[in-house]
Amino acid sequence: MKLDLLAKLRETNPIVLNAANFVTVQDVANGLNALGASPIMSKEIAEVEEMVQMASSIAINLGTLTKLQIMQMKEMGLLAAQAQKPVVLDPVAVGAVNYRLQTAQKLLEAFPATIIRGNAGEIAALGGFAWNAKGIDAGSGSGDLDEITRKTAQKLHCTIIASGVTDTISDSQNIAHVYNGTPLFQAHVGSGDMLSSIVAAFAAVCDNSFEAAQTACLVFAATGELLVNDHPEVGPGTFSMYLMDYLAKIKETEITAIAKFD
């Protein structure tokens, strides 16, 4: 686990271009900014070329789709691939809505994703595995999540993160798990979207997508866990408020002290 990437991220302040979910756009922008990256949001296809040129990495979120935004996402991904900049895809609800699954598949045919971050139901859907997804939630399934993650990474030629109580990460050859976290992440709707964009920030400062994905998951999960350890009284509302504070001040030594991963 390359936790020194956190210092590198803060030193370089990478620009993360987000095709964002309007429900969580403020959480994403504030989370990136607090951690030390520089967020920029766009929904306008006319500015995509200039935006991709200035960006260090790209995060594409399918949370609130429109046909125009799908066109923008495709153009964004194509230009990022040409410029060899990392692209992180968050396939929101593809396990529950067929239109979203078809959209994600078409986007992945148009350009390669560097990393895909979703919950278990979303990752299973992209991999072609049966899973009982429920809206934006993971739902329930009986498959081997390690195998689902590994085979989906192999199928899509990228690094996959199946996030949840345990984060499972694979690049098809290797498997890693992050066990830190708190149930309050599930109570805060923006947590998954924040993680996807934070993954993009780490991918901007690390050429190894598997290492970037692992580190991003550990930093985010450990930050939430430390927050709750220090403030056991927090609920969903105050958790969101404190999370920005903790992302801004989290230290490598603090993460190392509580890190649980393999």
Side-chain angles (χ1 to χ4, degrees), residues 155-243:
K155 174 184 177 180
L156 299 177
H157 308 290
C158 66
T159 294
I160 296 288
I161 302 169
S163 62
V165 176
T166 296
D167 295 332
T168 303
I169 305 111
S170 181
D171 61 358
S172 81
Q173 299 298 315
N174 305 288
I175 288 276
H177 304 92
V178 173
Y179 301 103
N180 293 96
T182 167
L184 285 172
F185 277 131
Q186 282 70 55
H188 179 226
V189 171
S191 295
D193 295 350
M194 288 173 66
L195 175 56
S196 294
S197 291
I198 286 171
V199 169
F202 277 95
V205 297
C206 180
D207 292 335
N208 186 318
S209 62
F210 183 62
E211 291 284 359
Q214 291 179 76
T215 305
C217 288
L218 179 58
V219 168
F220 192 63
T223 299
E225 186 172 319
L226 280 165
L227 186 171
V228 173
N229 288 346
D230 290 347
H231 302 279
E233 76 287 354
V234 298
T238 47
F239 175 75
S240 174
M241 177 183 69
Y242 278 122
L243 183 58

Side-chain angles (χ1 to χ4, degrees), residues 23-99:
V23 175
T24 61
V25 63
Q26 187 169 3
D27 289 319
V28 169
N30 285 333
L32 283 168
N33 196 51
L35 191 63
S38 180
I40 188 165
M41 277 57 185
S42 174
K43 285 191 173 183
E44 176 52 62
I45 193 168
E47 66 183 10
V48 166
E49 184 173 0
E50 189 174 2
M51 287 284 194
V52 171
Q53 286 175 357
M54 74 170 68
S56 307
S57 62
I58 289 85
I60 294 176
N61 186 297
L62 304 190
T64 49
L65 286 177
T66 66
K67 290 182 179 179
L68 181 59
Q69 193 176 32
I70 292 167
M71 292 170 60
Q72 183 215 21
M73 290 172 176
K74 182 178 178 180
E75 185 71 8
M76 196 178 282
L78 285 168
L79 290 171
Q82 290 172 14
Q84 297 184 315
K85 295 183 178 183
V87 177
V88 175
L89 177 68
D90 188 331
V92 179
V94 296
V97 181
N98 192 50
Y99 176 71

